[in-house]
């Protein structure tokens, strides 16, 4: 009888233990992604009222991207019920991230890289949502973004299911990481209407102005003007924020987060970059 009671008790708590372990695993994965390759806080930061030009990486939003086509303001994505996403369901958060559609049906515009986030696997999307739910709520009212160009009616059919990418296929997994890290959003030239010229994927040349001055995205393809003569160690060092000469690169690249990319993922990213079609640098020299 005593053994049966113990077994009954274990059966009662086993589902809870499994769910708890599952949630812990998702949170760990979400923390890794958000604090490394995905780096949402690089944009969804809050201006620091005590330091001009500085930001608090709390996901409370408020960072302004003032460009000719738009004045976009990063929203508050903390679980604050009034000013953040605290009242959104998991499905609504997932749809916003992967489909670019808010709960009210409105379309999320640039610079949110929805075209790349559509590649986020179901498992990693769930992990990111668990991480967002676990963040401290920040009560921060953020102004609405304004666009001077029409937004698309949608970014394609709703993403119902995205399977996980096997880490055994190093190049394919590296492409997956580059997609969810939206590397090519900045390292691909744009046309006259702001569209990415995917025929020159990775050729760089975009110009970014900010408090740091001017940055130009580098050619990431294995061309002479790109990474052909770079070693893997030099590429890894650059992604983490330091040039071959030992100088620190300027923003807007999310070096503070990319330095947390684990070595195995870095090797996959580099393998993918080396697989790109060589392209001449797309910007002015």
């Amino acid at each position: 009888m005593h053994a049966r009671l113990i077994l009954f008790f274990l059966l009662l708590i086993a589902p809870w233990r499994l769910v708890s372990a599952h949630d812990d695993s998702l949170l760990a994965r979400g923390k890794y992604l958000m604090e490394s390759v995905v780096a949402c806080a690089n944009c969804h930061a809050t201006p620091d009222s005590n330091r001009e030009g500085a930001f608090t990486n709390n996901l409370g939003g408020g960072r302004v991207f003032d460009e000719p086509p738009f004045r976009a303001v990063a929203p508050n994505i903390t679980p604050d019920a009034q000013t953040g996403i605290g009242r959104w369901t998991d499905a609504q958060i997932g749809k916003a991230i992967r489909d670019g559609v808010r709960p009210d049906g409105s379309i999320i515009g640039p610079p949110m890289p929805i075209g790349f986030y559509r590649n986020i696997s179901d498992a990693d999307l769930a992990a990111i949502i668990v991480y967002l739910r676990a963040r401290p709520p920040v009560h921060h009212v953020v102004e609405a973004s304004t666009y001077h160009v029409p937004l698309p009616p949608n970014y394609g059919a709703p993403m119902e299911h995205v399977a996980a990418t096997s880490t055994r296929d190093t190049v394919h997994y590296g492409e997956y990481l580059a997609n969810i890290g939206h590397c090519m959003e900045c390292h691909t030239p744009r046309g006259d209407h702001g569209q990415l010229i995917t025929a020159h994927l990775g050729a760089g040349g975009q110009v970014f102005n900010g408090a740091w001055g001017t940055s130009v995205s580098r050619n990431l393809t294995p061309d002479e003007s790109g990474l052909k003569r770079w070693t893997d160690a030099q590429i890894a060092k650059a992604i983490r924020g330091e040039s071959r000469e030992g100088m620190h690169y300027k923003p807007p690249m999310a070096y503070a987060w990319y330095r947390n990319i684990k070595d195995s993922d870095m090797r996959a990213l580099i393998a993918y970059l080396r697989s790109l079609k060589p392209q001449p640098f797309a910007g002015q020299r």
Side-chain angles (χ1 to χ4, degrees), residues 19-281:
V19 170
S20 176
H22 179 65
D23 285 349
D24 287 348
S25 176
L26 281 176
L27 181 57
R29 175 65 175 173
K31 177 179 173 62
Y32 169 68
L33 290 173
M34 290 286 283
E35 296 179 9
S36 64
V37 68
V38 179
C40 294
N42 191 45
C43 288
H44 289 273
T46 303
D48 190 333
S49 58
N50 298 316
R51 296 180 297 158
E52 185 176 357
F55 295 87
T56 301
N57 300 320
N58 58 9
L59 300 178
R63 188 166 194 163
V64 177
F65 301 86
D66 202 350
E67 304 289 340
F70 53 76
R71 176 183 167 83
V73 185
N76 182 345
I77 57 172
T78 74
D80 182 69
Q82 284 73 45
T83 65
I85 58 173
R87 293 180 179 174
W88 294 24
T89 67
D90 287 1
Q92 288 172 335
I93 297 173
K95 191 171 184 64
I97 294 172
R98 208 159 62 177
D99 291 335
V101 180
R102 300 183 184 89
D104 63 5
S106 60
I107 298 296
I108 298 173
M112 182 78 166
I114 302 297
F116 291 98
Y117 285 170
R118 287 169 67 79
N119 294 285
I120 299 176
S121 72
D122 296 348
D124 281 348
L125 183 65
I128 289 170
I129 292 169
V130 168
Y131 176 86
L132 291 174
R133 294 275 191 219
R135 303 308 299 157
V138 175
H139 189 82
H140 183 220
V141 178
V142 175
E143 69 174 277
S145 299
T146 54
Y147 291 89
H148 313 303
V149 294
L151 296 179
N154 57 63
Y155 292 96
M159 302 301 293
E160 301 294 343
H161 171 64
V162 180
T165 301
S166 173
T167 58
R168 295 181 180 180
D169 186 340
T170 305
V171 172
H172 192 200
Y173 185 62
E175 180 181 15
Y176 172 74
L177 293 173
N179 279 333
I180 68 175
H182 53 278
C183 303
M184 300 307 164
E185 179 80 5
C186 295
H187 287 273
T188 299
R190 293 185 180 273
D192 294 338
H193 301 289
Q195 77 281 10
L196 291 176
I197 305 175
T198 56
H200 299 287
L201 189 72
Q206 286 195 49
V207 178
F208 301 91
N209 297 305
W212 58 84
T214 299
S215 297
V216 181
S217 62
R218 181 177 290 278
N219 182 354
L220 298 184
T221 75
D223 182 75
E224 285 287 350
S225 62
L227 302 178
K228 181 177 180 178
R229 299 191 182 278
W230 289 51
T231 67
D232 288 4
Q234 288 171 334
I235 296 173
K237 191 175 182 180
I239 292 173
R240 292 179 171 128
E242 191 174 327
S243 73
R244 290 186 292 181
E245 295 74 31
M247 297 180 63
H248 291 288
Y249 285 125
K250 298 177 181 179
M253 195 158 159
Y255 304 114
W257 292 268
Y258 294 165
R259 65 169 61 107
N260 298 321
I261 296 174
K262 59 187 180 183
D263 291 343
S264 59
D265 283 356
M266 186 65 77
R267 286 193 293 270
L269 274 169
I270 294 170
Y272 166 65
L273 295 179
R274 294 206 184 280
S275 76
L276 294 173
K277 177 183 177 181
Q279 301 271 1
F281 178 57

